[in-house]
Amino acid sequence: MNHEEVITCPVTANHIKIALVGQPNVGKSMLINSVSNAHLHVGNFSGVTVDKTEVLFDYKDYHFTVVDLPGTYAFTDYTIEERVTHDYLCAEAYDLIINVVDSTSLEKNLQLTAELMSMSKNMVIALNMDDEAQKENIEIDAVYMSELMGIPCVKVSAAKKTGIEDLLDAIVSIQEKNSQQAKLIFSEAVEEEIDTIVTYLTKHKYRAVNSYRNIAINLLKNNKKTYAKLHDDPIWTELQPILIEASKHVELHHDSDDIKESFAEEYASFNRGIVAEVLKQEDKEVAKTLTEKIDSILIHPIAGIPIFLFFMWGLFQLTFEIGSIPMDWIDAFFGWFGDTVGATIANDDIRSLIVDGLIAGVGAVVLFVPNIIILFIGIALLESTGYMSRVAFLLDGFFHKFGMHGQSFIPLVTGFGCSIPAYMSARILKNDRDRLLTLFIIGFMSCGARLPVYVLFIGAFFSPEMAGNVLFAVYIGGAMMGLIAAKVLKMTAFKGADEPFVMEMPKYRLPSLKLVWHTVLTKTMMYLKKAGTFIAAATILIWFLSNYPQNLLLEKEYETKIENAISEEEKTTLANKLAEANLEQSYL
């Protein structure tokens, strides 16, 4: 495929807006980057801190906008990510859905697909990782699958950049036809109740954005938002008993007391049927896969945690050893820049504001950028290879004793490097309670900025022989106090039943450098924009508080003493005493 042709076609009025949806670890981000030279727009979804990535490009006289929605295992609103995806698909305007599916794990991925099909929206299925499926002797009949589901199914490989043009052609074809019939057929009992509800809504000419079939399915599944919309409508009085009888009928046929379980069985049955028809895999004895071989070492019950600690130690060594080199350059540059600018300003107050306040404030922000970049590169590499998921699994048992989840380890460990990216990375946690609990505990992790303070106090109160041990004890003690505080908070402010911890173990993959670069760049810019503004403002505020009010009489008294001083050493001592006296009576 010639990607240059995809990008350079003239933009016309024909616009296609696409929602990119899929479960975690199916290669959505890699697929969205596989169209070369696409223009990335990164921000946040309204009201939340979940990343929002949009890609703009042109193809065959069409202008494409692709919105990469957060990965979600099911069409629910349990976590923030799921809520963002759910609300976007239900409320926002878009032309069609691209459902990205992992070809090597088809049945599991079709769980989300089946739920998306119930929305009655135009959709294309991208059977991603086709290259990996071939390696595992998996063959999917995409043509027959398209016929069975009523949805175009296209084999693609984001890693190898194959099938992208076929995928775009399928999208253009659907857009031009502007019609699609997804063939999601439930069991006879469910279809009967759907028809009953659709007939009732049609009879009363209910006004709705979604199709009557979609509304009927949502009502049967006890979707709260659909219920809330209909509850205030006059037809609700007659509709409610119909829904009660419908639920009883469906549950009776599934021998279940929970309508959600009944629908889960419906989707699972549909998925098994599709997989049985379209998927073939050679049955032969295969040696352990590469992933299984690596896992036997990295998530070994005994050796797993020491290996992880070694990796983290190595990452922190790189962060501070390599990061200290550009930090020295940055510090020297802002020192020189402040002296150069200060020499051109005659007024002492303005010079102090510009040099000691503004330039020093910006310098304090930029100073930590090398450390943060190195730390983010390391974590992005570990995440993109699939290793971080394993560590969360390894540490879950230990963290669980303190009321936390294995996923909390990522922000907590990051907190030893710098608290700012640690707070930012807490968004990976699935629910608000776990996220808030982790945010409270990050403060107990000793970040790199505290190290000079620790060294100062330890040097003052302990002998050089003890200093190293004391410093180690401070770091470990802080972490242990954090875990104890987590336990206390879990028993008081955040008490309640533990949420289930379910995490997918993705296959090990070579990291995508383009994806790592995009992640690091996005998070670094977020640090400069969000944290940087507060740090710079705080620096200027501290400058003001420490420099005012000024005591002119005291300054004249010390200036006279300094002028009369004989030696340079005496002058320096008096200047330090003046600074100390000014600070003592300042606002600070």
Side-chain angles (χ1 to χ4, degrees), residues 304-444:
I305 292 179
I307 291 171
F308 157 68
L309 292 175
F310 172 76
F311 282 145
M312 286 294 102
W313 174 82
L315 178 55
F316 287 133
Q317 287 293 104
L318 288 173
T319 299
F320 291 107
E321 291 299 324
I322 298 177
S324 63
I325 299 170
M327 282 180 77
D328 292 339
W329 297 341
I330 293 169
D331 195 28
F333 169 76
F334 277 97
W336 167 83
F337 186 61
D339 292 340
T340 305
V341 172
T344 64
I345 303 172
N347 186 285
D348 290 340
D349 289 339
I350 295 176
R351 180 172 63 250
S352 181
L353 170 63
I354 299 297
V355 176
D356 300 326
L358 191 60
I359 294 176
V362 173
V365 174
V366 178
L367 190 64
F368 287 98
V369 167
N371 279 2
I372 286 174
I373 288 176
I374 295 169
L375 199 60
F376 276 144
I377 288 173
I379 291 173
L381 287 171
L382 291 175
E383 285 179 337
S384 59
T385 55
Y387 179 61
M388 280 300 199
S389 298
R390 273 113 180 132
V391 180
F393 167 76
L394 266 177
L395 297 179
D396 183 54
F398 176 73
F399 274 70
H400 200 73
K401 294 174 182 176
F402 297 93
M404 304 173 78
H405 277 169
Q407 282 181 307
S408 298
F409 96 93
I410 296 175
L412 293 184
V413 168
T414 307
F416 283 112
C418 182
S419 296
I420 292 165
Y423 285 115
M424 289 160 61
S425 63
R427 68 176 61 177
I428 65 168
L429 291 157
K430 294 297 181 186
N431 62 64
D432 294 337
R433 189 171 59 187
D434 290 334
R435 193 177 302 108
L436 283 171
L437 180 58
T438 303
L439 290 172
F440 275 114
I441 307 308
I442 287 171
F444 287 92

Side-chain angles (χ1 to χ4, degrees), residues 68-273:
D68 185 8
L69 296 174
T72 175
Y73 287 104
F75 193 54
T76 59
D77 56 0
Y78 172 63
T79 68
I80 286 181
E81 288 78 8
E82 289 172 356
R83 200 179 309 144
V84 166
T85 300
H86 182 277
D87 291 350
Y88 186 94
L89 292 175
C90 291
E92 297 295 328
Y94 55 91
D95 295 301
L96 57 86
I97 297 169
I98 295 181
N99 177 212
V100 185
V101 169
D102 180 354
S103 296
T104 65
S105 187
L106 186 61
E107 186 173 339
K108 180 176 75 70
N109 278 242
L110 286 178
Q111 166 67 27
L112 177 61
T113 305
E115 294 187 70
L116 293 173
M117 288 172 69
S118 68
M119 294 183 66
S120 304
K121 296 279 188 179
N122 287 343
M123 189 159 74
V124 175
I125 294 176
L127 296 166
N128 196 21
M129 304 183 193
D130 182 52
D131 55 325
E132 292 188 19
Q134 290 176 20
K135 289 178 185 176
E136 297 181 22
N137 302 307
I138 296 172
E139 180 60 38
I140 299 172
D141 189 340
V143 176
Y144 187 36
M145 186 174 174
S146 302
E147 293 175 6
L148 289 174
M149 302 182 75
I151 296 170
C153 301
V154 183
K155 291 182 180 180
V156 297
S157 171
K160 301 290 184 182
K161 296 187 178 180
T162 58
I164 306 298
E165 190 170 4
D166 294 335
L167 181 65
L168 294 174
D169 286 338
I171 294 167
V172 170
S173 177
I174 289 177
Q175 182 70 8
E176 289 174 349
K177 291 177 183 175
N178 197 28
S179 65
Q180 189 182 53
Q181 278 296 320
K183 300 174 183 176
L184 177 61
I185 307 299
F186 295 101
S187 65
E188 187 177 343
V190 175
E191 286 294 334
E192 184 181 324
E193 297 304 333
I194 290 173
D195 288 341
T196 301
I197 297 169
V198 168
T199 301
Y200 180 82
L201 294 174
T202 306
K203 177 184 174 183
H204 288 79
K205 297 179 181 177
Y206 177 70
R207 292 185 179 181
V209 177
N210 297 330
S211 68
Y212 285 165
R213 180 178 174 84
N214 181 232
I215 294 170
I217 293 170
N218 285 340
L219 287 171
L220 286 173
K221 289 168 64 179
N222 292 336
N223 182 281
K224 291 181 180 178
K225 291 185 177 179
T226 307
Y227 266 77
K229 285 181 181 178
L230 279 157
H231 190 269
D232 296 330
D233 197 282
I235 67 171
W236 178 253
T237 308
E238 293 181 31
L239 185 59
Q240 189 175 21
I242 295 174
L243 294 176
I244 294 170
E245 289 302 316
S247 295
K248 287 179 181 177
H249 184 204
V250 172
E251 289 169 5
L252 181 66
H253 275 263
H254 288 85
D255 193 22
S256 168
D257 295 330
D258 188 348
I259 193 73
K260 289 185 179 179
E261 285 184 15
S262 301
F263 268 91
E265 288 179 22
E266 292 279 339
Y267 290 133
S269 299
F270 175 79
N271 297 341
R272 283 193 296 269

